Amino acid sequence: MRIILVGYGVVGQSLADILLRRSIETVRDYGFNPKVVAIVDRGGAAINSKGLDLEKMLALKKKDGTVGTDPKFGYPQMSSSAVIESVEAEVVVEVTPTNVKNGEPGLSHIKTAFKTGKHVVTTNKGPLALALPALMELADYNKVYLRFSGTVGGGTPVLELAKRGLLGDKIIAIRGILNGTTNYILTKMEEKCITFQQALEEAQKLGYAETDPTMDIDGIDAACKVVIMANWIMNKKFTLKDVEVQGIRDVTLQALGKASKRGNTIKLIGSIDGNPTVAPTEISKHDPLCVSGVLNAVTFVSKFAGEETIIGRGAGGMETASAVLRDLLDIKHNLASELLM
Amino acid sequence: MRIILVGYGVVGQSLADILLRRSIETVRDYGFNPKVVAIVDRGGAAINSKGLDLEKMLALKKKDGTVGTDPKFGYPQMSSSAVIESVEAEVVVEVTPTNVKNGEPGLSHIKTAFKTGKHVVTTNKGPLALALPALMELADYNKVYLRFSGTVGGGTPVLELAKRGLLGDKIIAIRGILNGTTNYILTKMEEKCITFQQALEEAQKLGYAETDPTMDIDGIDAACKVVIMANWIMNKKFTLKDVEVQGIRDVTLQALGKASKRGNTIKLIGSIDGNPTVAPTEISKHDPLCVSGVLNAVTFVSKFAGEETIIGRGAGGMETASAVLRDLLDIKHNLASELLM
């Protein structure tokens, strides 16, 4: 399988690292022998139809900040779209940063990949939050696969659990703590009796929150994940604008204190049960969903199997890259089945 | 797909119920059109090569306590082995009660099914705990599938999460609360400050514990699940005798109190991390594994995706039957792939 890797930040580099470290096992256990034929980052591209040396690419990125400087395989000026269009490959791995304003550049990358007959694995929530119903149709039309396990739960197989683990069942409702930063802030507010502002500053110091924390604390990141789950798991045709979103800026110590007296706490809960929503919600401390710190948790309410909750870290480069590898193996498996038909 | 249903207790009847209620969807969504051609219970068998009327079979069971009395299709004297051997079918669903002494009658049912080329889906922990490595080899030798999702976690897809959800990753260790009865007892001891004996009696009154609660409170049920996970997920060749088992009879209120002062509690934890063990273990109340009441929880420690925890009810007829349906769909899918080769 030939792969074009678009975006070479933390997740992209972690994927290169995993592919290097797991290559013997993936061939042996899954007959999966990936070749990364192109890598694109902000400084340009490196292309080798025989497969790039991933160890060299990691070193080069560290040294120069881009792979475009490779003396033999580097193309410092080449755009990502040109690479996706012109390089022969089966799959585009799109791991550029999320942009929920217009989904770019991820949205164009995905469309270009589809148009040239390439499957897409992405960890980019922007294009999916804005246009997942259309993208799923476009993938079908072009007879290619679109996979995005890493967008919900990081390395935690939230989407797989719902889709595969509950095969034959019917998922009626979903609710979850879908954002680690806000969960960290709410946990610290309660534990240490500090204000939202103080907890936010602490999260920023520890690198759990960005300098501009809007995406997280205003609930937008969680809303993106609600959209993705609603489409993928429950066959809804929602986009970001359909989600009623409320962040955690207005959660007070007083409200947390009152909840605590009732044996409850306040968490930012994304929910799909009728209309999709994201809002600070009082839940019991005994609810399996009630996890602390940066953990994420999702509960699926299914018709026959009952309620299942899955908990894990919702982020991390290596974790998210492991989700990309799962998606690549899934596509590989589907292609093998197709070939036999 | 023709199915022989061996055992027609709570799980068997729940499966019949699900097959009835889901028939339109399973055909539409999965091309899965099951026909139950035989049902065996303690009072005999009912056989119809064209498929039994499941609604009638449920009513008959309620009325007579057996399906063997059916005027047209009933065989009151026929043994389960004779049915498995003589009736043409693709799959045997084995849902008789667990017996960890010698695995019977489940063990013979499974072997007979294999010998006559039938796949097996079972919820019976006895044969697996005693002989899973041998049974997996025997299934391979006879070119049939053996599936047993319902043996761990009831309807909660614990085995699927590990096997499918973490595809491409490597599971290094597993630990879990694998038995709802003991978890209920330990939870009540701590919450209400009552002794083990008092909590056990309460569990028995509520139907959470059997009249003979040995399997649960001595950790044997949990040990069976440890064996199943070790073999299926981690490719170990363990049987029940390899598990070091300690139950919860000796857990005192004093010990629970001491743990509580440290922010911890005591849970019956099954663990595969080196040697397989089951023992009362002190864990943090903030550990995602720390669930209360009859809930089960399992944490997988994986190489790349980090730690994942799955939580759900570990029992229930409908829940366990939903796991049987998942297994049937999995076998159906595998057979379809095989046909294409």
Side-chain angles (χ1 to χ4, degrees):
Chain A
M1 179 184 277
R2 293 169 299 178
I3 296 167
I4 299 173
L5 179 55
V6 182
Y8 204 45
V10 177
V11 175
Q13 291 174 61
S14 297
L15 179 65
D17 195 12
I18 291 187
L19 291 180
L20 275 169
R21 283 159 68 185
R22 289 285 283 171
S23 63
I24 293 167
E25 284 109 324
T26 53
V27 171
R28 184 195 61 199
D29 298 344
Y30 309 102
F32 178 66
N33 193 9
K35 258 196 313 191
V36 178
V37 291
I39 297 176
V40 194
D41 60 28
R42 281 183 190 146
I47 301 171
N48 180 359
S49 62
K50 290 179 183 155
L52 291 162
D53 180 332
L54 293 177
E55 225 156 340
K56 274 192 187 159
M57 289 298 118
L58 283 167
L60 190 61
K61 180 79 181 176
K62 217 164 251 170
K63 188 164 87 48
D64 293 350
T66 175
V67 297
T69 53
D70 188 276
K72 196 162 169 201
F73 303 112
Y75 295 78
Q77 304 300 329
M78 200 161 172
S79 77
S80 45
S81 297
V83 174
I84 296 171
E85 252 173 21
S86 66
V87 174
E88 275 188 42
E90 281 72 42
V91 183
V92 169
V93 173
E94 214 289 337
V95 289
T96 64
T98 291
N99 159 4
V100 292
K101 293 216 173 66
N102 59 13
E104 296 299 349
L107 191 56
S108 296
H109 292 159
I110 295 174
K111 285 185 188 167
T112 308
F114 286 173
K115 275 182 212 153
T116 52
K118 297 178 180 88
H119 312 288
V120 171
V121 175
T122 187
T123 59
N124 188 335
K125 292 179 284 276
L128 307 187
L130 297 174
L132 189 45
L135 287 173
M136 282 168 72
E137 271 187 35
L138 200 60
D140 276 352
Y141 176 80
N142 286 286
K143 297 192 172 56
V144 292
Y145 295 107
L146 171 63
R147 291 290 181 272
F148 38 81
S149 300
T151 56
V152 182
T156 311
V158 177
L159 300 180
E160 286 89 341
L161 175 67
K163 197 88 170 183
R164 298 248 178 121
L166 293 170
L167 199 71
D169 209 321
K170 191 181 164 81
I171 291 175
I172 303 159
I174 304 176
R175 53 179 184 272
I177 294 176
L178 302 166
N179 178 273
T181 307
T182 46
N183 203 43
Y184 181 85
I185 291 171
L186 292 173
T187 304
K188 289 300 152 187
M189 283 175 71
E190 189 179 13
E191 275 178 15
K192 297 186 171 178
C193 254
I194 54 177
T195 64
F196 166 74
Q197 202 55 44
Q198 289 169 317
L200 170 60
E201 278 161 26
E202 191 184 311
Q204 284 172 322
K205 260 184 217 150
L206 289 167
Y208 292 151
E210 321 258 332
T211 322
D212 175 7
T214 318
M215 273 283 288
D216 293 324
I217 63 180
D218 287 338
I220 302 160
D221 176 71
C224 290
K225 293 164 181 168
V226 162
V227 169
I228 292 166
M229 291 198 292
N231 280 275
W232 185 242
I233 299 170
M234 295 175 79
N235 297 318
K236 309 277 185 192
K237 301 287 173 203
F238 294 141
T239 64
L240 197 52
K241 65 176 175 10
D242 300 311
V243 188
E244 202 179 294
V245 188
Q246 190 191 333
I248 64 162
R249 283 182 203 267
D250 299 333
V251 176
T252 60
L253 276 176
Q254 206 190 3
L256 276 166
K258 273 189 190 167
S260 184
K261 273 183 198 144
R262 291 187 282 261
N264 297 343
T265 189
I266 296 172
K267 295 291 187 186
L268 184 67
I269 302 288
S271 166
I272 312 161
D273 186 4
N275 288 335
T277 58
V278 172
T281 308
E282 195 172 317
I283 64 168
S284 161
K285 283 185 182 167
H286 289 294
D287 193 317
L289 207 54
C290 190
V291 293
S292 53
V294 294
L295 287 176
N296 285 18
V298 181
T299 298
F300 297 107
V301 184
S302 62
K303 196 166 171 188
F304 297 109
E307 290 196 11
E308 271 87 38
T309 303
I310 181 165
I311 299 169
R313 276 196 68 194
M318 214 40 129
E319 289 87 346
T320 307
S322 78
V324 173
L325 175 57
R326 281 204 301 272
D327 284 345
L328 291 170
L329 288 170
D330 183 47
I331 290 177
K332 192 247 158 202
H333 179 82
N334 287 345
L335 292 177
S337 301
E338 272 182 20
L339 265 181
L340 297 168
M341 290 200 197
Chain B
M1 180 185 276
R2 293 169 299 178
I3 295 168
I4 299 173
L5 179 54
V6 183
Y8 204 45
V10 177
V11 175
Q13 292 174 60
S14 298
L15 179 66
D17 196 11
I18 292 187
L19 291 180
L20 275 169
R21 286 159 67 184
R22 290 284 284 168
S23 64
I24 293 167
E25 284 109 323
T26 53
V27 170
R28 184 195 61 199
D29 299 344
Y30 309 103
F32 177 66
N33 192 9
K35 256 194 316 190
V36 178
V37 291
I39 297 177
V40 194
D41 60 26
R42 281 183 190 147
I47 302 172
N48 179 358
S49 62
K50 289 178 184 157
L52 291 162
D53 180 332
L54 293 177
E55 225 157 340
K56 273 193 188 159
M57 289 297 118
L58 284 167
L60 190 61
K61 180 77 182 177
K62 216 165 252 169
K63 188 165 86 50
D64 293 351
T66 174
V67 295
T69 54
D70 188 277
K72 195 162 168 202
F73 303 113
Y75 295 79
Q77 303 301 327
M78 200 164 171
S79 77
S80 46
S81 296
V83 174
I84 297 171
E85 252 174 21
S86 65
V87 175
E88 275 188 44
E90 281 72 42
V91 182
V92 170
V93 172
E94 214 290 336
V95 290
T96 64
T98 292
N99 159 5
V100 291
K101 292 214 174 67
N102 59 14
E104 295 301 348
L107 191 57
S108 295
H109 292 159
I110 295 174
K111 284 186 188 166
T112 307
F114 286 173
K115 274 183 211 151
T116 53
K118 297 179 180 88
H119 312 288
V120 171
V121 175
T122 187
T123 59
N124 187 335
K125 292 179 284 276
L128 307 187
L130 297 174
L132 189 47
L135 287 173
M136 282 168 72
E137 271 187 37
L138 200 61
D140 276 352
Y141 176 80
N142 286 286
K143 297 192 174 56
V144 292
Y145 295 108
L146 170 64
R147 290 291 182 272
F148 38 81
S149 300
T151 55
V152 182
T156 312
V158 176
L159 300 180
E160 285 88 342
L161 176 67
K163 197 88 170 185
R164 297 245 179 122
L166 293 170
L167 201 70
D169 208 322
K170 192 183 164 79
I171 291 175
I172 303 160
I174 304 175
R175 54 179 184 272
I177 295 176
L178 302 166
N179 179 274
T181 307
T182 45
N183 203 43
Y184 181 85
I185 292 171
L186 292 173
T187 303
K188 289 302 152 187
M189 283 175 71
E190 188 179 13
E191 275 179 16
K192 297 186 170 178
C193 253
I194 54 177
T195 62
F196 165 74
Q197 200 56 43
Q198 290 169 317
L200 171 60
E201 278 161 26
E202 191 183 311
Q204 283 172 323
K205 259 184 219 154
L206 290 167
Y208 293 152
E210 319 258 332
T211 322
D212 175 8
T214 319
M215 272 284 287
D216 293 322
I217 63 179
D218 287 338
I220 301 160
D221 176 70
C224 289
K225 292 163 182 170
V226 161
V227 168
I228 292 166
M229 291 199 290
N231 279 275
W232 184 243
I233 300 168
M234 296 176 78
N235 296 318
K236 308 277 185 192
K237 301 287 172 202
F238 293 143
T239 63
L240 197 52
K241 64 177 176 9
D242 299 311
V243 188
E244 201 178 295
V245 188
Q246 190 190 334
I248 64 162
R249 284 182 202 266
D250 300 333
V251 176
T252 61
L253 277 175
Q254 205 191 6
L256 276 166
K258 274 190 189 169
S260 185
K261 274 184 196 143
R262 290 186 283 260
N264 297 342
T265 189
I266 296 171
K267 295 291 187 186
L268 184 66
I269 302 288
S271 166
I272 312 162
D273 186 5
N275 288 335
T277 58
V278 172
T281 309
E282 194 170 320
I283 64 168
S284 162
K285 284 185 182 168
H286 290 293
D287 192 318
L289 206 54
C290 190
V291 293
S292 53
V294 294
L295 287 175
N296 286 17
V298 181
T299 298
F300 297 107
V301 183
S302 63
K303 197 167 172 186
F304 298 108
E307 290 195 12
E308 272 87 39
T309 302
I310 181 166
I311 299 170
R313 276 197 69 194
M318 216 39 131
E319 289 87 344
T320 307
S322 77
V324 173
L325 175 58
R326 281 205 301 273
D327 283 345
L328 290 171
L329 288 170
D330 183 50
I331 289 177
K332 192 247 160 204
H333 179 83
N334 287 345
L335 293 177
S337 301
E338 271 182 21
L339 265 181
L340 298 167
M341 291 204 199

